[in-house]
């Protein structure tokens, strides 16, 4: 990986935004990259705004806290855009030129002003129906974040699928200890599956669906990932 990539994830409580940043950072560590993930939210409750940040690079990373200038903005829920349920407004504020926006939906949610702002940044905008994919592949919307992670990797190559597989095993296949709402969410996910092996398999399949869609989109858009792992 030649350059650092900064990812800002915006969603609502219960969607696994914080978990996504952590899994991504864990996957990066499997490939001997440096990574830091951290959450940013108020009340830990469902449907409340939630953000998480992942910083990944080939050299040590010292900055933490709010990510003001992301390379990638991930929108886990349409209400981040349509109802302003975000700590950062507009939702793509600070996005670097030639950055990437990944939105969980299959319809155009952007206003003319938002489109104009993103066009000025020459941003790549990718819509992926992550929640629908989660229902179809994993049988639960709780896997929405897996489809989002797959989309990110498909567009950036920031980590490999093998590294993600190993990170999932660490997170859900072992006795990982989380706190507060994150631990509750993890347990809710586990109860959806009879065995941990099935959980790992379904999560990886959901990631793969998001990944494949992103790769196909990039191919049709003649887009080459700039963040190479």
């Amino acid at each position: 990986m030649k350059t650092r990539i900064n990812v800002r994830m915006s969603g609502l409580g219960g969607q696994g935004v914080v978990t996504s940043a952590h899994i991504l950072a864990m996957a990066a560590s499997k490939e001997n990259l440096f990574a830091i993930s951290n959450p940013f939210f108020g009340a830990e409750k469902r449907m409340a705004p939630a953000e998480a940040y992942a910083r990944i690079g080939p050299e040590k990373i010292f900055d933490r806290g709010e990510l003001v200038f992301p390379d990638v903005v991930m929108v886990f829920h349409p209400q981040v855009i349509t109802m302003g349920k975000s700590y950062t407004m507009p939702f793509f504020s600070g996005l670097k030129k030639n950055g990437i926006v990944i939105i969980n939906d299959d319809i155009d949610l952007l206003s003319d002003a938002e489109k104009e702002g993103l066009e000025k940044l020459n941003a790549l905008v990718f819509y992926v129906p992550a929640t629908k994919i989660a229902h179809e592949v994993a049988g639960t919307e709780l896997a929405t974040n897996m489809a989002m992670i797959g989309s990110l990797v498909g567009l950036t190559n920031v980590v490999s699928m093998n590294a993600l597989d190993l990170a999932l095993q660490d997170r859900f296949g072992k006795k990982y200890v989380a706190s507060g709402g994150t631990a509750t969410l993890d347990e809710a996910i586990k109860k959806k599956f009879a065995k941990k092996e099935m959980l790992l398999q379904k999560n990886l399949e959901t990631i793969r669906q998001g990944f494949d869609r992103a790769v196909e989109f990039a191919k049709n858009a003649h887009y080459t990932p700039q963040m190479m792992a």
Side-chain angles (χ1 to χ4, degrees):
M1 185 178 187
K2 298 178 181 180
T3 59
R4 179 167 139 183
I5 181 171
N6 299 312
V7 183
R8 183 168 72 214
M9 305 177 181
S10 298
L12 303 182
Q15 288 193 292
V17 174
V18 176
T19 298
S20 298
H22 185 249
I23 289 174
L24 187 61
M26 292 173 71
S29 69
K30 299 296 182 183
E31 299 192 319
N32 298 316
L33 295 170
F34 293 94
I36 290 179
S37 68
N38 57 285
F40 185 88
F41 51 78
E44 282 193 81
K45 64 179 182 180
R46 291 189 63 83
M47 301 305 287
E51 283 189 359
Y53 316 117
R55 297 171 168 91
I56 298 172
E59 299 177 347
K60 286 186 177 181
I61 300 170
F62 298 99
D63 50 323
R64 293 177 177 270
E66 185 178 2
L67 206 167
V68 180
F69 300 108
D71 300 289
V72 182
V73 170
M74 301 176 69
V75 178
F76 282 60
H77 199 286
Q79 289 183 9
V80 169
I81 298 174
T82 61
M83 298 181 65
K85 286 192 174 182
S86 173
Y87 294 108
T88 305
M89 291 299 293
F91 70 93
F92 61 89
S93 176
L95 180 67
K96 294 179 182 177
K97 193 170 182 62
N98 301 317
I100 298 172
V101 175
I102 302 172
I103 302 172
N104 172 23
D105 214 316
D106 54 3
I107 60 173
D108 187 352
L109 299 175
L110 302 178
S111 66
D112 290 341
E114 289 166 339
K115 290 178 182 178
E116 183 179 349
L118 289 168
E119 286 176 1
K120 288 181 179 179
L121 294 171
N122 194 36
L124 180 74
V125 180
F126 174 55
Y127 282 92
V128 57
T131 301
K132 290 184 179 179
I133 293 172
H135 276 294
E136 292 171 359
V137 178
T140 172
E141 65 179 12
L142 295 176
T144 295
N145 58 345
M146 298 296 126
M148 293 294 286
I149 292 173
S151 299
L152 171 68
V153 174
L155 291 178
T156 65
N157 287 335
V158 63
V159 294
S160 67
M161 289 295 295
N162 182 62
L164 281 174
D165 187 10
L166 293 174
L168 288 176
Q169 291 180 43
D170 282 352
R171 181 61 189 251
F172 298 115
K174 299 179 180 179
K175 291 184 178 180
Y176 173 79
V177 178
S179 61
T182 302
T184 302
L185 178 61
D186 283 357
E187 288 306 312
I189 294 172
K190 290 177 183 178
K191 290 178 181 178
K192 287 283 184 178
F193 302 89
K195 298 179 180 179
K196 289 182 180 179
E197 289 78 8
M198 184 176 290
L199 168 63
L200 293 169
Q201 177 188 346
K202 292 298 184 181
N203 276 341
L204 195 60
E205 288 177 4
T206 307
I207 287 175
R208 173 61 70 177
Q209 283 285 329
F211 176 88
D212 288 345
R213 288 188 182 229
V215 169
E216 184 65 22
F217 170 80
K219 184 189 302 181
N220 292 334
H222 304 292
Y223 173 80
T224 302
Q226 299 178 25
M227 312 297 180
M228 301 298 292

